[in-house]
Amino acid sequence: MHPARGFIDAGFTMDAIILQILNGLDKGSAYALIALGLTLIFGTLGVVNFAHGALFMLGSFCAVTLQKILSLSFTVEDPSQKDFLGNPLKVDTPYIVSWFGDATGNAILNWSVPLAILFAIPVMLLVGYVMERGLIKHFYKRPHADQILVTFGLAIVIQEIVKYFYGANPIPTPAPDAFRGSVDFGVLIGFAQNEIIYPYWRLVYFLFSALIISAVFAFLRFTTFGMVVRAGMADRETVGLLGINIDKRFTIMFGIAAAVAGLAGVMYAPINSPNYHMGMDFLVLSFVVVVVGGMGSLPGAVLAGFLLGILESFASMNEVKSLIPGIDQIIIYLVAIIILLTRPRGLMGRKGVMEE
Amino acid sequence: MLGLSKKDTTFLLIVMFLTLATPILLQPFPEASALAQFNAGYPDLMQRFAIFGIFAIGFNILFGLTGYLSFGHAAFLGVGSYSVVWMYKLLSYNVLPGLILAVIVSGLFALLIGYISLRRSGIYFSILTLAFAQMSFNLAYSVLTPLTNGETGLQVYTDDPQVLMDAASPTSPHFFGIVMNDVSKLDVGGWQFTFSNGYYFCAIIAIVVFYLSMRIFRSPFGIMLRAIKTNQTRMNYTGLNPRPYTLAAFVISGMYAGLAGGLLAAMDPLAGAERMQWTASGEVVLMTILGGAGTLMGPVLGAGFIKYFENIFSKINDNILHAWFSALPDGLEDAIVFLLHPFIGKGWHLTLGLLFMLVVIFLPGGLIEGGTRIWNAASGKNRKKKQDHADHHPKPSAHVN
Amino acid sequence: MSKFQMNRRTLIKSGTAIGAGLALPTIFTSSARAYLNEPKGGTVTLGFNVPQTGPYADEGLDELRAQELAVQHLNGEGDGGMLNTFSSKALKGNGILGKKVQFVSGDTQTKSDAARASAKSMIEKDGAIMINGGSSSGVAVAVQGLCQEAGVIFMAGLTHSNDTTGKDRKANGFRHFFNAYMSGAALAPVLAKAYGTDRRAYHLTADYTWGWTQQESIATATEAMGWETVNNVLTPLASTDFSSYIAPVLNSGADVLILNHYGGNMVNSLTNAVQFGLRDKMVNGKQFEIIVPLYSELMAAGAGANVRGVYGSMNWNWQLQDEGSKAFVKSFGEKYGRPPSNSAHTCYVQTLLYADACERAGTFDPCGVVEALEGFEFDGMGNGPTLYRADDHQCFKDVLVMKGADNPTNEYDTLEIVEVTPRAQVEYAPDHPMFAGGELGKCNSGA
């Protein structure tokens, strides 16, 4: 029997593998975006930001907030229908629908998640600005432990504030109708029909994150501002000595990193209903990603994000789990530990950075 | 006496007295008064003060003295608890074999994790411990369920061997016959005091452990640890290898954590996997910082403060606030209750987070530093010793209280 | 090093001091009491231990609302609610045994440790004599064990695992909520009628005790109807993204997906399954179907439109039209402006049942209450004639089979009742293998 046959019989068929790769790229997109922001902050400002997961969560809740704002309704009692107690039913009609008419109004409500992108960018930039000017600025020279602690406390505060206003239940934020459901991906790459089906919105998310990552890289590479930031990442003191005011640029960089995390959150809202705790869940993994990729290396963070996402996806396949039970729970941490021990600068970190 | 200086001996005696008198000191309000819910003198809470005090003292040796921030100590807490419950299941409800096993196993576990993690320092070390903690938690929660019983928690079942138990043995945790759950209540006037065997068991162990930490602080070993915190590179240049010292500090703090975990199971024979989450490690970090890292008494104060908040403060609700401010005119009363509402009851996490941030920003030395400043201001002494800021090298020396 | 003077005098002095210290607790042993937290004075305190933070906070808060309502009704305030329809007329609306009912509340955070600590605090500090509430089986088992050790009664809240009155049953614990076996027994015939008997089922199961017992029960019940279980995959409890587990379902040859998930897991796995287009697929010539054996209406709100056409079971639902249910819905709805969830219902009923048992027994002593509840038959609480079986302290009553409504008119009727399965169909013998391995033990009054 051909050896590959045994492999395929075990479940490792081509379409299963491709499905898991797609899954991994999708998960990896979220990790990569968060890790990108983290590395930006660490590389330019030298600050370890434990509140980054909370920024991701805030982005998701921007989508929730916009949905709620657009759904603000006025109540009309409709005596023809009854509610559960037998009283006249109160019917809610969103203002949007009554102003713009049924078709446009409902269309706006439907597209609330992509519209939230426009809403989230200024909000997250503002949040980032306030965070940096108000708090982070004072911690540039403090040891990393203090930075971790204060941002950890900030993450708890942000989380609790969101919980106070929105409750503890996950709040469903559906994708626009046009993107609901799935696409027959297999047909596009030459498979038979109905072999590989993948949800539309997840593909959109992957493309979106690729877009943002490219935008950030292009910004850093092709603009003067980006050039100064890259110089600052390489050697902050010299940039200051050259008479360039690095402080203002730091604030803007923090704002951009916050916006990146926020946008990752906004588009993630339809995939997993936002709840106040999602920030902490993503935080640990994001740090692991950053460390594996190399602290201070942007390509490394992105690469590590996708790699670890794919790894996690493969590890949760039944076939792999039957070989090593429980591997999906610990694979990412194992990989992180091994890399930290053998190649502490990570996959693409600069030699000599944090190697003591 | 016992190898301590006169000042330290007095300090130890004061701590001993306070610890043993805790059931009385924590019940200042008479039972019938409106403030009775602020009494903290019931067995479960007092035991937690002692146990988390032990945990924080151990953590302080690693973080306060040596300067290494570890997010993984919750794993040792869990390991200690599981060891004790396994001894209940296999031998009997006597806590002694379990506690000894807890200390040994967590020490070995700490040796393993420490050996790997301490190859890096600073932020890398912290993230390594974080990864280990999450890995251990995931393993305990889902993978190693025959050992840990996963989400339900490890408990004693009727079909467990329990070879050393006979018909006369107590059926709840005991120390050679002294049952932990037994309490004696004393009613004096309007006050009620509860003396619990379990609390005194933990308290005596806490005193012993505190004495040990005092000796470590004052010993040459302790000075080595402070040297590592101050400037590790310089220490390397003088030819001293910091590795054995940091590893020893890590293992010692791991054993303290294992002991604390074992005591948790000694008071309540169930070991839940949530003890091992990294956010539980975060809790002990909060306690140490809040109280004052690097001081003797700080972590204990921090532990008591946070546990008190968690149990008592979180029980305040709107009705109680209204009762307090009922003397004020109605509009003002409602306004104040409205303002305070998000910060009390279920929202105490928010208060805790804010408090933590304030302490880290303004008062890095924690409550001890706050207390010292107030004392200085009140007594008018013009202390020349300024507060070191972290951006000046060398790193601040520990306050020796 | 100071010299340690050892002679007879110092030895005697220190010896008496130590001896007096050790003897101290016994001198102050409190006056003999019959049982723990015996209510003296004019009030009795009940402890409501619900999740106020964490993933089930909304359910916990609903439970607390129902419990507050129950206390009101017990004290004779409000419109009496189910006290008017309850078959036992022992309660008179003047509290319990003439003592006014007060309550304290605690936060379980859906963690066993925190739940036990909270229960301990309520027992030791506030003098609670009964603990009620909860939203998870792991927590329920942990708190039940604590109440057994301490010597108070535990009236379980929402707990669905077979183990709570099976392997982990305790003499001081009582459960009104139905269990996984009953879900399976109620669902299987309805599913066979709706989907046929030639189906192949793929199970996704939450990897903890509730998930395992739930999966075992539904698999046994459906296999008895002729279905085939293709695979059973365990998913970690903490998962939020189930895409990697859904993907293999597509190619497995199964045409039914059974989600043994609850709460947040259910919301996410159902959403992921629908996103992957499972509902629109045709496999083996049949429409692909999804089943969620245990529904929670509060969590179903989080899944939105994805529950349409998905079958499941519940303990009770506000849309029932019997007298007891209508009375409760009216009381709860008028006070809180929304219909009660089934977790609210079970906590309300448990509180009333406890109070009634105390009245009938004439005492708050746990052993007296246990005796009064064992073998108790009652009606008028919304589930038809109900028996509290003595062998395992489990309530036997009608079970509801629900389906996601195709056209919900408002946020409260996203689920519709398909069938009210009669009690006889879901009964099982006390020594059934799925419930074996535990024994009640003796009641503990904490004396």
Side-chain angles (χ1 to χ4, degrees):
Chain A
M1 187 165 88
H2 198 271
R5 182 85 231 172
F7 198 56
I8 290 176
D9 276 347
F12 283 105
T13 51
M14 205 51 200
D15 47 331
I17 295 185
I18 294 191
L19 257 175
Q20 295 297 7
I21 293 182
L22 283 176
N23 260 334
L25 286 178
D26 194 53
K27 265 195 252 244
S29 307
Y31 295 156
L33 280 175
I34 301 180
L36 185 67
L38 266 174
T39 313
L40 272 174
I41 295 179
F42 184 75
T44 52
L45 284 60
V47 170
V48 183
N49 183 19
F50 254 46
H52 213 73
L55 292 172
F56 175 77
M57 183 263 295
L58 276 179
S60 276
F61 273 91
C62 282
V64 171
T65 313
L66 187 68
Q67 187 183 271
K68 284 208 175 239
I69 293 179
L70 289 178
S71 313
L72 274 179
S73 348
F74 54 93
T75 325
V76 159
E77 273 199 11
D78 181 0
S80 65
Q81 298 181 58
K82 300 262 179 226
D83 74 353
F84 70 96
L85 276 179
N87 303 326
L89 184 65
K90 301 194 176 75
V91 178
D92 290 334
T93 320
Y95 287 109
I96 297 275
V97 169
S98 72
W99 291 342
F100 291 104
D102 256 348
T104 331
N106 279 323
I108 296 181
L109 267 173
N110 201 341
W111 284 81
S112 59
V113 171
L115 280 177
I117 298 179
L118 299 172
F119 178 67
I121 294 182
V123 169
M124 295 309 297
L125 281 175
L126 183 66
V127 168
Y129 180 81
V130 167
M131 246 176 89
E132 202 271 341
R133 285 282 104 188
L135 183 70
I136 309 284
K137 181 173 74 160
H138 304 285
F139 278 80
Y140 287 155
K141 305 244 175 56
R142 300 265 289 251
H144 285 313
D146 285 4
Q147 293 167 352
I148 292 178
L149 293 169
V150 82
T151 47
F152 180 58
L154 184 64
I156 294 180
V157 169
I158 295 178
Q159 200 170 284
E160 290 297 312
I161 293 178
V162 166
K163 189 177 92 160
Y164 178 72
F165 283 110
Y166 291 97
N169 233 14
I171 303 176
T173 7
D177 277 334
F179 288 114
R180 254 177 255 194
S182 42
V183 64
D184 194 334
F185 195 70
V187 161
L188 295 175
I189 48 174
F191 275 74
Q193 267 237 341
N194 268 339
E195 288 260 341
I196 306 181
I197 301 193
Y198 206 67
Y200 230 147
W201 185 258
R202 287 173 181 257
L203 289 173
V204 167
Y205 188 74
F206 172 64
L207 291 172
F208 178 77
S209 69
L211 193 70
I212 302 236
I213 293 174
S214 325
V216 170
F217 275 111
F219 174 78
L220 285 175
R221 197 164 164 76
F222 295 123
T223 64
T224 320
F225 187 96
M227 187 177 69
V228 172
V229 168
R230 274 185 293 137
M233 275 174 88
D235 192 337
R236 198 182 318 151
E237 269 192 67
T238 316
V239 170
L241 287 173
L242 287 172
I244 300 177
N245 181 1
I246 202 74
D247 270 352
K248 204 169 90 163
R249 286 174 169 78
F250 277 179
T251 314
I252 297 182
M253 271 328 290
F254 196 92
I256 293 181
V260 166
L263 287 174
V266 165
M267 296 296 269
Y268 198 75
I271 297 183
N272 261 330
S273 307
N275 69 81
Y276 77 102
H277 210 257
M278 64 193 297
M280 280 296 179
D281 300 330
F282 269 95
L283 182 72
V284 180
L285 284 168
S286 314
F287 261 103
V288 167
V289 164
V290 168
V291 161
V292 166
M295 295 196 82
S297 157
L298 291 168
V302 172
L303 186 68
F306 284 114
L307 271 176
L308 285 176
I310 294 182
L311 206 61
E312 204 183 12
S313 243
F314 271 108
S316 55
M317 282 175 81
N318 293 339
E319 297 71 27
V320 175
K321 276 211 290 195
S322 58
L323 286 175
I324 317 172
I327 186 72
D328 58 321
Q329 298 286 316
I330 57 177
I331 181 79
I332 290 204
Y333 304 113
L334 265 180
V335 167
I337 289 170
I338 294 175
I339 294 217
L340 268 176
L341 292 175
T342 53
R343 200 184 150 98
R345 57 190 152 111
L347 292 175
M348 292 178 74
R350 287 197 315 268
K351 210 164 165 52
V353 175
M354 308 278 302
E355 249 180 340
E356 86 267 6
Chain B
M1 169 186 127
L2 293 171
L4 294 174
S5 71
K6 186 144 177 294
K7 183 163 168 250
D8 282 343
T9 317
T10 335
F11 188 44
L12 181 64
L13 286 173
I14 295 179
V15 167
M16 275 172 70
F17 171 71
L18 288 177
T19 315
L20 294 174
T22 300
I24 300 177
L25 295 170
L26 286 182
Q27 291 274 100
F29 307 115
E31 280 304 296
S33 78
L35 294 171
Q37 76 232 15
F38 287 111
N39 283 337
Y42 62 96
D44 188 52
L45 187 57
M46 294 194 290
Q47 288 158 7
R48 277 173 198 274
F49 284 158
I51 291 173
F52 279 91
I54 295 175
F55 191 17
I57 291 174
F59 185 76
N60 191 32
I61 292 177
L62 184 65
F63 180 53
L65 273 189
T66 322
Y68 278 72
L69 177 61
S70 155
F71 276 104
H73 273 57
F76 308 128
L77 196 73
V79 161
S81 296
Y82 286 129
S83 314
V84 168
V85 181
W86 268 110
M87 285 294 105
Y88 288 161
K89 289 162 81 82
L90 293 176
L91 296 182
S92 80
Y93 272 109
N94 195 340
V95 299
L96 191 64
L99 286 176
I100 296 178
L101 183 68
V103 173
I104 296 177
V105 171
S106 49
L108 291 172
F109 196 40
L111 190 63
L112 175 68
I113 294 187
Y115 185 73
I116 300 179
S117 308
L118 283 166
R119 292 163 76 88
R120 307 285 155 230
S121 68
I123 176 84
Y124 276 3
F125 168 77
S126 303
I127 295 190
L128 264 174
T129 55
L130 187 60
F132 268 115
Q134 271 307 89
M135 212 163 82
S136 317
F137 170 67
N138 281 343
L139 285 173
Y141 205 59
S142 340
V143 181
L144 294 175
T145 31
L147 263 185
T148 62
N149 211 14
E151 184 251 7
T152 321
L154 192 63
Q155 326 169 36
V156 181
Y157 291 114
T158 42
D159 57 351
D160 282 325
Q162 285 190 311
V163 287
L164 289 183
M165 254 182 88
D166 52 34
S169 309
T171 52
S172 79
H174 66 96
F175 180 66
F176 291 110
I178 306 178
V179 178
M180 297 293 164
N181 280 338
D182 276 353
V183 295
S184 327
K185 290 193 198 268
L186 171 63
D187 285 292
V188 173
W191 286 266
Q192 190 186 63
F193 304 118
T194 314
F195 298 95
S196 142
N197 286 356
Y199 169 69
Y200 278 105
F201 185 67
C202 293
I204 293 176
I205 295 185
I207 292 174
V208 169
V209 143
F210 181 75
Y211 165 71
L212 278 174
S213 83
M214 245 178 163
R215 291 298 299 267
I216 292 179
F217 264 65
R218 309 288 183 224
S219 70
F221 177 66
I223 296 184
M224 279 297 192
L225 296 180
R226 289 213 198 101
I228 294 174
K229 180 175 179 183
T230 316
N231 197 328
Q232 196 166 336
T233 329
R234 193 189 291 167
M235 200 178 154
N236 267 322
Y237 289 164
T238 53
L240 289 165
N241 183 8
R243 186 72 73 75
Y245 295 100
T246 49
L247 190 59
F250 195 87
V251 170
I252 291 177
S253 65
M255 291 201 289
Y256 269 74
L259 180 63
L263 282 174
L264 271 178
M267 298 300 117
D268 186 11
L270 174 113
E274 304 89 17
R275 252 166 248 202
M276 295 178 76
Q277 254 182 321
W278 77 274
T279 37
S281 293
E283 218 186 294
V284 78
V285 174
L286 256 79
M287 286 175 193
T288 313
I289 304 265
L290 206 65
T295 64
L296 275 171
M297 215 35 215
V300 181
L301 285 181
F305 189 78
I306 288 193
K307 284 292 150 193
Y308 183 77
F309 253 68
E310 188 178 61
N311 283 289
I312 306 288
F313 203 71
S314 62
K315 300 256 171 65
I316 306 178
N317 53 38
D318 278 352
N319 293 340
I320 299 175
L321 279 184
H322 275 293
W324 284 356
F325 293 108
S326 52
L328 296 172
D330 260 352
L332 197 58
E333 176 192 332
D334 285 337
I336 294 186
V337 172
F338 179 69
L339 280 175
L340 288 182
H341 176 74
F343 295 102
I344 48 116
K346 301 192 310 291
W348 72 271
H349 271 114
L350 177 63
T351 321
L352 193 62
L354 280 171
L355 202 64
F356 184 61
M357 281 177 70
L358 290 172
V359 165
V360 175
I361 299 174
F362 297 115
L363 213 61
L367 289 173
I368 294 277
E369 185 192 326
T372 324
R373 282 204 200 172
I374 295 176
W375 174 258
N376 292 346
S379 62
K381 284 202 188 118
N382 207 359
R383 291 283 175 99
K384 284 283 172 137
K385 191 158 62 167
K386 274 228 185 63
Q387 183 57 26
D388 289 66
H389 280 289
D391 49 1
H392 298 292
H393 291 288
K395 294 216 174 69
S397 57
H399 285 273
V400 177
N401 266 13
Chain C
M1 183 136 117
S2 53
K3 285 192 17 188
F4 187 47
Q5 287 275 39
M6 166 82 103
N7 57 34
R8 221 170 50 221
R9 251 178 85 210
T10 52
L11 189 59
I12 294 176
K13 266 179 31 184
S14 47
T16 30
I18 295 174
L22 282 176
L24 213 52
T26 52
I27 298 179
F28 295 120
T29 306
S30 50
S31 50
R33 49 156 210 265
Y35 53 92
L36 182 65
N37 288 343
E38 179 178 357
K40 309 211 163 93
T43 62
V44 60
T45 310
L46 305 179
F48 296 139
N49 206 18
V50 300
Q52 296 184 34
T53 57
Y56 300 135
D58 281 358
E59 235 170 39
L61 291 175
D62 216 42
E63 288 183 358
L64 202 53
R65 288 188 202 116
Q67 287 157 336
E68 282 178 30
L69 189 68
V71 167
Q72 268 193 328
H73 290 165
L74 284 175
N75 286 334
E77 297 155 21
D79 61 10
M82 276 193 185
L83 279 177
N84 303 324
T85 57
F86 189 20
S87 58
S88 159
K89 300 293 175 194
L91 289 168
K92 303 177 202 55
N94 61 348
I96 311 178
L97 293 174
K99 297 191 195 285
K100 186 159 182 275
V101 179
Q102 285 179 336
F103 69 92
V104 287
S105 64
D107 183 7
T108 68
Q109 302 177 36
T110 317
K111 296 182 182 165
S112 319
D113 282 348
R116 270 173 88 109
S118 165
K120 256 187 165 200
S121 157
M122 290 194 287
I123 295 172
E124 288 172 2
K125 182 169 194 294
D126 305 303
I129 194 161
M130 181 272 271
I131 304 284
N132 172 237
S135 222
S136 139
S137 291
V139 165
V141 166
V143 178
Q144 185 166 263
L146 178 84
C147 291
Q148 176 71 35
E149 282 156 27
V152 298
I153 293 283
F154 176 64
M155 305 297 280
L158 194 149
T159 156
H160 190 245
S161 162
N162 291 337
D163 292 344
T164 313
T165 45
K167 190 163 69 94
D168 292 313
R169 66 179 86 150
K170 294 280 192 295
N172 280 30
F174 288 88
R175 168 163 66 172
H176 167 265
F177 202 73
F178 72 145
N179 57 38
Y181 175 90
M182 295 178 182
S183 282
L187 270 173
V190 177
L191 294 174
K193 204 159 66 154
Y195 297 146
T197 54
D198 179 29
R199 284 283 188 164
R200 312 182 68 217
Y202 194 105
H203 291 244
L204 281 180
T205 304
D207 195 3
Y208 70 116
T209 61
W210 172 74
W212 306 331
T213 68
Q214 168 60 60
Q215 191 271 331
E216 198 188 344
S217 306
I218 191 86
T220 318
T222 50
E223 279 167 9
M225 296 280 151
W227 286 21
E228 183 193 334
T229 305
V230 166
N231 203 351
N232 173 28
V233 173
L234 300 174
T235 63
L237 182 56
S239 303
T240 49
D241 187 15
F242 292 87
S243 43
S244 349
Y245 304 102
I246 303 278
V249 179
L250 302 166
N251 299 326
S252 61
D255 45 46
V256 173
L257 174 64
I258 299 187
L259 293 173
N260 299 306
H261 286 154
Y262 184 68
N265 279 358
M266 183 272 274
V267 171
N268 287 330
S269 65
L270 187 58
T271 309
N272 288 163
V274 172
Q275 273 176 358
F276 270 79
L278 286 180
R279 295 287 276 136
D280 309 314
K281 275 187 59 171
M282 296 289 283
V283 180
N284 304 337
K286 305 187 201 101
Q287 174 85 37
F288 196 96
E289 303 288 353
I290 306 181
I291 299 169
V292 175
L294 180 64
Y295 258 133
S296 146
E297 52 285 64
L298 291 175
M299 303 309 278
N306 296 323
V307 299
R308 287 196 193 144
V310 176
Y311 278 91
S313 67
M314 282 176 71
N315 190 47
W316 177 86
N317 187 270
W318 68 268
Q319 292 167 91
L320 282 171
Q321 291 302 309
D322 63 275
E323 289 310 310
S325 306
K326 290 212 292 225
F328 181 49
V329 171
K330 182 158 174 294
S331 261
F332 193 96
E334 274 170 3
K335 185 162 181 199
Y336 297 113
R338 40 181 296 156
S341 61
N342 68 344
S343 41
H345 171 259
T346 197
C347 288
Y348 178 87
V349 170
Q350 286 275 63
T351 311
L352 257 48
L353 285 173
Y354 171 78
D356 175 77
C358 290
E359 283 278 352
R360 286 184 292 112
T363 170
F364 291 102
D365 187 333
C367 288
V369 174
V370 166
E371 222 184 289
L373 277 174
E374 281 180 344
F376 182 46
E377 286 259 10
F378 61 95
D379 198 348
M381 298 293 235
N383 290 102
T386 310
L387 164 71
Y388 237 134
R389 192 156 77 178
D391 307 274
D392 49 11
H393 293 187
Q394 168 76 49
C395 265
F396 285 84
K397 54 191 171 2
D398 300 342
V399 169
L400 299 180
V401 175
M402 313 289 295
K403 190 167 86 124
D406 289 316
N407 294 310
T409 53
N410 59 57
E411 59 193 290
Y412 301 122
D413 59 5
T414 49
L415 301 172
E416 60 188 16
I417 303 178
V418 169
E419 184 187 289
V420 179
T421 308
R423 164 176 143 190
Q425 193 181 317
V426 300
E427 279 179 347
Y428 52 87
D431 55 0
H432 192 280
M434 279 192 210
F435 294 85
E439 47 175 270
L440 281 178
K442 266 179 38 83
C443 69
N444 179 8
S445 57

